[in-house]
Amino acid sequence: MTEQRVAVVTGASRGIGRAVATELAARGQAVVVGYAGSADAAAEVVRQITAAGGRAVAAQADVADEAAVAAAFDLAEQEFGGVDVVVHAAGRLSQSTIADLDLDDLDALHRTNIRGTFVVAREAARRVRDGGAVITFSTSVVGLQLPTYGAYVASKGAVEGLTMILARELRGRDVTVNAVAPGPTATELFLDGKDEATVERLAKQPPLERLGEPADIAEVVAFLAGPGRWVNGQVVRVNGGIV
């Protein structure tokens, strides 16, 4: 019998992270459902997975807190025997022109998106078993360079850079490291504060003429977390064809 793969997924209580957690569980992986503050939502994800016959536990962790992140990995090892897959889906979004940027917002983005990614990546580098996979999250806006996304794109550009270097630092361990960069995706985080006309305009950007769904992103993550062993050190833009 093949040993069950074990995934730690941050930001898994809602949106894309939740879709990733349930997709990995549906494909046979045990899942640690990482969350920052939404305990009830995380518990619901665990219930959904276990009701379908899967294995899951919830772990609260501020991704920028190294002790809390280490404890989530400890839980994976205690409950399921180890860690094979790390998906770092937790993130923060703030929009402003650079001229009007509130530096407190910049610091908050830096803490979650840059420091948080480094903390999770560091723990992954130390703990992921040979043959595993690490998936971080960037954004297709890095390439689109849309106004008001300067601080967010700066943080995600950092994520792409550290992801590529980690892929090379793990040489010899058969561990893949990739970043997934979604385009406009119908999540609560994305839709918040946008009027119907704005959402419609963004939905028309890709040639497929719709917003992405969390499941669209989760399918790509699941591929990278399992069968996609020859994709390594890449940023995969999952955006329906936006150039």
Side-chain angles (χ1 to χ4, degrees):
M1 179 179 177
T2 303
E3 185 175 9
Q4 184 177 33
R5 285 168 76 83
V6 179
V8 174
V9 183
T10 69
S13 64
R14 62 177 187 162
I16 292 171
R18 177 175 183 146
V20 168
T22 56
E23 182 66 25
L24 292 180
R27 298 191 185 205
Q29 298 194 25
V31 181
V32 173
V33 177
Y35 69 97
S38 305
D40 290 345
E44 177 56 34
V45 178
V46 171
R47 283 193 292 271
Q48 181 181 346
I49 290 170
T50 55
R55 302 170 72 199
V57 294
Q60 192 279 332
D62 170 358
V63 293
D65 181 339
E66 61 266 43
V69 170
F73 279 73
D74 288 342
L75 182 63
E77 293 174 348
Q78 293 159 8
E79 293 290 326
F80 305 127
V83 178
D84 302 286
V85 173
V86 175
V87 181
H88 180 45
R92 181 187 292 269
L93 170 64
S94 179
Q95 287 182 249
S96 167
T97 62
I98 293 169
D100 296 324
L101 179 63
D102 183 330
L103 293 179
D104 287 341
D105 289 343
L106 178 66
D107 290 342
L109 279 172
H110 185 289
R111 187 176 190 280
T112 298
N113 294 357
I114 301 180
R115 178 187 167 92
T117 304
F118 266 101
V119 169
V120 173
R122 186 179 72 165
E123 208 62 40
R126 294 172 174 177
R127 307 253 204 150
V128 168
R129 294 185 285 204
D130 290 1
V134 180
I135 297 109
T136 63
F137 268 77
S138 180
T139 171
S140 285
V141 185
V142 170
L144 297 172
Q145 301 168 358
L146 300 176
T148 76
Y149 284 89
Y152 182 62
V153 164
S155 72
K156 291 302 189 177
V159 169
E160 292 190 9
L162 77 91
T163 302
M164 299 307 100
I165 289 173
L166 182 60
R168 286 146 183 83
E169 289 181 348
L170 298 186
R171 174 182 291 274
R173 286 176 48 183
D174 189 29
V175 174
T176 62
V177 186
N178 295 286
V180 170
T185 305
T187 65
E188 180 183 336
L189 181 68
F190 171 78
L191 295 172
D192 183 44
K194 293 182 175 67
D195 59 32
E196 187 174 340
T198 299
V199 172
E200 180 67 19
R201 176 175 55 80
L202 292 170
K204 291 295 185 183
Q205 282 186 307
L208 298 179
E209 295 192 332
R210 67 173 177 84
L211 293 178
E213 296 293 336
D216 295 320
I217 316 303
E219 287 176 355
V220 176
V221 172
F223 172 74
L224 296 173
R229 302 305 304 162
W230 198 234
V231 182
N232 189 31
Q234 304 297 318
V235 179
V236 184
R237 309 242 180 252
V238 189
N239 60 27
I242 298 174
V243 177

